[in-house]
């Protein structure tokens, strides 16, 4: 999407303070001739202040409006009537990136964030007179506990169940968006695990994967469930940002797309574990002295026996470590490959394609170490 | 007893000393001797432990050693060495383990010469083993006896005139202290083994050990030690099998240390050994006797008829320090 093509366009962006949303915001904000209306919740900090922090010293050339609101605050999204009216007239594109990516929420809470919030954004989309495309961000893990290939034309868990409430709430969100596709120009963009910037390794928000790396580092992760040869799909944040914007502008609508490493660029679980240990030793040589053993890749039954034992001990540190891993690691025990044909075709002309996971993953580990997992400015 | 002039060494005889006094998990809890939940410890397979009374670690060591000497009917003059393996630092002193030590110390130090009074010398003279030189082995936690057996084998192979080595291990837990360590319950006890040139049973095929010195502070980084336990144990067992040219299917029985049954369920899965080939019968009844578990279990398994001549047995243990030790013997 060139700056020329985006001229006169007005993008309504939710979730701009999230891991993916912040990458999208930075990407869009550096373009000319574009209006970006960003919906930001008030936390303990002012919305404008939060956005300013995210943008840092970026040269903002787009027209940027920060609107205080909340996708979960009903059809008005927490905005006053005048603001809603203006957005309804002006908005040509919607990127709905807001939601909870927490794997540990109770299902009602996950639904509140990911289903009901999306319903409000859908209602808002219906009211936009000039809407050209609305992109709803989802996850490839709406596939739940399926195994094997998962195509962009596939939906949901196919009765296999979900690993966590996040996956289930996103699958329910997709059902709602799919129904609306008959009346609205919408796309669903399913993201793989976003780990950081491919060039710098920078992580805008640390998630379960980064916590797992930390547990590897501290030696508190003796085992993870999975199959050594099972595929692990990870993508960089810059690929995702470029891909979402390209699909928003040029992706066939309606449609479902996977922004994933896919068969060609994913790694095996064993390769990932090996690279994690290798990179930790390479970037922090003194870490070798700790003699941390490589975590074992074990079958699910063995892992569950270990988790149950840890739970019985009541040991808060080990419980925290296993709970942190188990929220996502059960996915590793249900290996699958995410097919990316549609996305690859739509992104090809822009020269956008995922890098092999292991090409940039070490840089993310380096960033984790240097920033002490976000505790230290880097 | 006569031995051949073979250069191989084996564990010819084993004896143990387990104090008569028994306490249940519930009783330990009532007496304030458990840090953790008795229910958790029971679910991990523990029921009772043995507690020493007035007897010291040296008394227990002598009792076990006297038993093995008598049962083996060995000529005491044949014993060329005593390897005394102690897990607790206090066990390598003359401290009796009945309390009264100043905070942080492991012995009642009345004078500097006390530091030169060693249990191993007392064991030698009490047992009347005039030809036995003595060596003390410690600082390997519960893996100390494995180091003793390994050194005994190596010395017998290396020194032509050394025919028999007496390995002894004894530990008495400090009185009044919590007896659960890393979700295991500790018993007092001792064991003794005669490692002999050309032994007609329990030929020591392979001995291995991994030490992770970074994990030396068992109190401060207990969680890291627990987390390191399984991957390191699996790697060591596999390495030992490979060195011996064997596979897990070749092992007739694993002779374990008496840590939580649950941990053996997990480790058994990791190393591909079904539960019925792990001798866990003593975990509930005896608990973890620090350094004496494996030899005690080897003797019990032999007496119960679980082992046949020629069977390969795999012994494994973990000791603070942190040390993982493994041994394969052929019965």
């Amino acid at each position: 999407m060139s700056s020329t093509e985006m001229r006169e366009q007005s993008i309504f962006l939710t979730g701009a303070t999230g891991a993916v949303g912040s990458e999208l915001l930075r990407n869009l904000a550096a373009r000319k001739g574009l209006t970006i209306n960003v919906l930001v919740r008030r936390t303990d900090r002012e919305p404008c202040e939060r956005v300013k922090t995210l943008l840092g010293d970026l040269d903002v050339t787009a027209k940027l409006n920060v609107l205080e609101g909340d996708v979960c605050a009903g059809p008005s999204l927490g905005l006053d009537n005048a603001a809603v009216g203006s957005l309804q007239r002006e908005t040509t594109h919607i990127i709905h990136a807001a939601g909870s990516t927490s794997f540990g929420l109770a299902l009602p809470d996950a639904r509140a964030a990911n289903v009901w919030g999306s319903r409000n954004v859908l209602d808002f989309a219906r009211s936009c007179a000039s809407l050209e495309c609305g992109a709803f961000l989802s996850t490839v893990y709406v596939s739940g506990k399926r195994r094997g290939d998962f195509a962009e034309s596939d939906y949901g868990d196919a009765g296999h169940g979900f690993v966590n409430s996040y996956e289930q709430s996103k699958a329910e969100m997709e059902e709602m968006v799919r129904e609306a596709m008959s009346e609205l120009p919408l796309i669903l963009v399913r993201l793989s695990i976003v780990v950081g910037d491919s060039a710098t390794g920078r992580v805008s928000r640390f998630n379960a994967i980064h916590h797992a790396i930390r547990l590897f580092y501290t030696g508190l992760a003796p085992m993870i469930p999975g199959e050594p040869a099972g595929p692990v799909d990870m993508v960089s944040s810059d690929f995702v940002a470029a891909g979402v914007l390209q699909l928003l502008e040029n992706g066939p609508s309606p449609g479902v797309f996977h922004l994933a490493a896919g068969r060609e660029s994913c790694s095996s679980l064993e390769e990932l574990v090996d690279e994690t240990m290798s990179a930790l030793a390479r970037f922090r040589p003194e870490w070798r002295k700790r003699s941390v053993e490589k975590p074992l890749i074990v079958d699910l039954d063995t892992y569950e026996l270990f988790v149950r034992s840890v739970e019985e001990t009541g040991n808060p540190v080990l419980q925290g470590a296993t709970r942190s891993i188990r929220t996502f690691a059960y996915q590793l025990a249900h290996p699958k490959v995410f097919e990316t044909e549609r996305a690859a075709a739509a992104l090809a002309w822009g020269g956008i394609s995922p890098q092999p996971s292991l090409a940039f993953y070490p840089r993310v580990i380096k960033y984790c170490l240097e920033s002490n997992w976000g505790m230290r400015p880097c | 007893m006569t031995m051949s002039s073979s250069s191989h060494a084996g564990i010819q005889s084993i004896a143990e000393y387990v104090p008569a006094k028994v306490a249940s998990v519930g009783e330990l809890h009532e007496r304030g001797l458990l840090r953790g939940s008795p229910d958790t410890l029971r679910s991990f397979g523990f029921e009772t432990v043995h507690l020493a009374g007035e007897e010291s670690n040296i008394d227990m060591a002598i009792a076990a050693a006297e038993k093995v000497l008598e049962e083996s009917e060995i000529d005491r003059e044949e014993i060329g060495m005593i390897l005394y393996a102690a897990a607790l630092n206090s066990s390598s002193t003359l401290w009796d383990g009945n309390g009264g030590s100043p905070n942080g110390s492991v012995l009642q130090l009345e004078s500097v010469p006390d530091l030169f009074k060693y249990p191993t010398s007392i064991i030698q003279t009490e047992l009347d083993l005039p030809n036995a030189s003595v060596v003390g082995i410690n600082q390997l936690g519960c893996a100390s006896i494995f180091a003793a057996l390994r050194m005994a084998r190596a010395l017998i192979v290396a020194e032509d005139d050394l025919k028999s080595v007496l390995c002894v291990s004894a530990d008495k837990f400090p009185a009044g202290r919590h007896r659960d360590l890393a979700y295991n319950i500790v018993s007092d006890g001792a064991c003794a083994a005669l490692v002999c040139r050309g032994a007609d049973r329990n030929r020591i095929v392979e001995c291995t050990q991994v030490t992770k010195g970074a994990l030396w502070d068992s109190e401060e980084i207990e969680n890291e030690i627990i987390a390191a336990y399984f991957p390191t144990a699996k790697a060591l067992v596999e390495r030992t099998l490979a060195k011996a040219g064997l596979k897990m299917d070749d092992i007739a029985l694993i002779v374990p240390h008496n840590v939580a049954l649950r941990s053996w369920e997990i480790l058994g899965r990791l190393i591909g050994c079904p539960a019925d080939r792990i001798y866990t019968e003593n975990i509930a009844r005896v608990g973890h006797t620090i350094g004496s578990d494996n030899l005690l279990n080897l003797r019990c398994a032999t007496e119960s008829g679980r082992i046949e001549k020629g069977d390969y047995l795999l012994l494994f243990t973990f000791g603070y320090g942190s040390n993982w030790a493994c041994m394969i013997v052929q019965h």
Side-chain angles (χ1 to χ4, degrees), chain A residues 250-267:
Chain A
N250 297 303
S253 160
V256 182
F257 304 92
H258 285 176
L259 292 183
R263 196 179 310 278
E264 300 302 319
S265 297
C266 69
S267 65

Side-chain angles (χ1 to χ4, degrees), chain B residues 24-273:
Chain B
S24 69
V25 169
E27 288 166 343
L28 292 177
H29 176 64
E30 287 167 10
R31 290 162 59 182
L33 294 177
L34 295 180
R35 184 175 55 166
S37 149
D39 290 340
T40 299
L41 291 165
R42 283 192 205 98
S43 79
F44 281 7
F46 297 105
E47 291 175 11
T48 56
V49 292
H50 291 256
L51 307 177
E54 290 300 314
E55 63 265 63
S56 70
N57 58 298
I58 301 167
D59 295 333
M60 294 192 294
I62 291 171
E66 191 65 64
K67 188 175 171 185
V68 81
L69 293 171
E70 286 177 9
E71 289 181 356
S72 67
E73 298 178 347
I74 192 171
D75 179 351
R76 296 191 182 216
E77 297 205 351
E78 274 190 26
I79 303 215
M81 179 170 282
I82 300 170
L83 294 176
Y84 175 63
L88 303 173
N89 276 328
S90 55
S91 301
S92 60
T93 71
L94 295 183
W95 181 63
D96 68 4
N98 285 328
S101 296
N103 286 339
S105 75
V106 293
L107 75 167
Q108 285 280 37
L109 180 63
E110 299 294 341
S111 63
V112 168
D114 280 351
L115 292 170
F116 296 94
K117 297 173 183 172
Y118 307 119
T120 322
S121 302
I122 296 174
I123 291 169
Q124 189 239 22
T125 187
E126 288 293 320
L127 293 172
D128 189 21
L129 301 173
N131 296 327
S133 55
V134 299
V135 176
I137 296 171
N138 65 353
Q139 302 188 15
L140 293 98
C142 307
S144 299
I145 190 66
F146 276 59
L149 295 169
R150 182 184 186 186
M151 290 182 187
R153 174 211 189 202
L155 287 166
I156 286 171
V157 170
E159 298 180 11
D160 291 341
D161 60 344
L162 183 60
K163 293 179 180 172
S164 298
V165 176
L166 174 65
C167 298
V168 189
S169 177
D171 283 293
K172 178 178 179 179
F173 214 65
R177 300 301 172 97
H178 291 143
R179 283 198 165 253
D180 49 336
L181 287 173
Y183 312 107
N184 302 299
I185 307 188
V186 173
S187 268
D188 299 321
C191 67
L194 267 180
V195 179
C196 300
R197 180 186 302 277
D200 60 10
R201 71 194 73 162
N202 299 323
R203 178 175 67 93
I204 298 173
V205 177
E206 199 62 68
C207 304
T208 54
Q209 180 187 325
V210 167
T211 300
K212 289 182 179 286
L215 303 178
W216 66 270
D217 191 339
S218 58
E219 186 175 15
E220 192 66 27
I221 54 169
E222 183 184 67
N223 294 318
E224 286 81 353
I225 293 170
I226 292 171
Y229 175 79
F230 290 112
T232 312
K234 177 179 170 18
L236 184 65
V237 168
E238 289 174 349
R239 179 154 68 88
T240 311
L241 286 168
K243 282 183 74 175
L246 298 172
K247 295 177 179 166
M248 185 49 72
D249 285 347
D250 298 322
I251 300 298
L253 191 68
I254 287 185
V255 182
H257 58 336
N258 291 343
V259 293
L261 188 57
R262 180 69 58 74
S263 79
W264 271 108
E265 288 174 24
I266 296 170
L267 186 55
R269 297 179 71 101
L270 295 176
I271 60 178
C273 183

Side-chain angles (χ1 to χ4, degrees), chain A residues 103-256:
Chain A
F103 297 150
L105 290 182
L107 185 57
D109 295 331
R111 279 182 175 139
N114 294 329
V115 182
W116 312 138
S118 297
R119 185 181 61 189
N120 294 332
V121 176
L122 271 179
D123 286 342
F124 169 72
R126 288 188 181 94
S127 70
C128 292
S130 308
L131 185 68
E132 294 176 21
C133 185
F136 282 66
L137 304 196
S138 183
T139 171
V140 290
Y141 291 106
V142 292
S143 50
K145 293 180 180 174
R146 283 180 188 235
R147 287 166 169 257
D149 293 350
F150 185 66
E152 288 157 308
S153 56
D154 290 330
Y155 291 97
D157 65 325
H160 290 83
F162 297 96
V163 166
N164 53 49
S165 62
Y166 168 70
E167 295 176 357
Q168 184 170 347
S169 64
K170 282 293 192 181
E172 291 174 4
M173 180 274 281
E174 283 201 0
E175 279 184 39
M176 201 169 53
V177 173
R178 280 169 58 205
E179 284 178 18
M181 281 178 171
S182 60
E183 53 173 315
L184 292 170
L186 302 178
I187 58 172
L188 273 168
V189 186
R190 292 176 182 152
L191 310 183
S192 180
I193 302 168
V194 182
V195 291
D197 186 86
S198 65
T200 65
R202 188 177 68 84
V203 177
S204 55
R205 181 173 286 190
F206 291 87
N207 60 33
I209 294 296
H210 308 105
H211 293 313
I213 296 170
R214 186 172 207 167
L215 292 172
F216 280 28
Y217 179 72
T218 55
L220 289 172
M223 59 186 83
I224 53 173
E227 297 170 10
V232 181
D233 200 297
M234 298 186 306
V235 289
S236 67
S237 51
D238 47 311
F239 163 70
V240 164
V244 168
L245 296 180
Q246 171 95 4
L247 291 170
L248 184 71
E249 181 66 8
N250 297 303
S253 160
V256 182

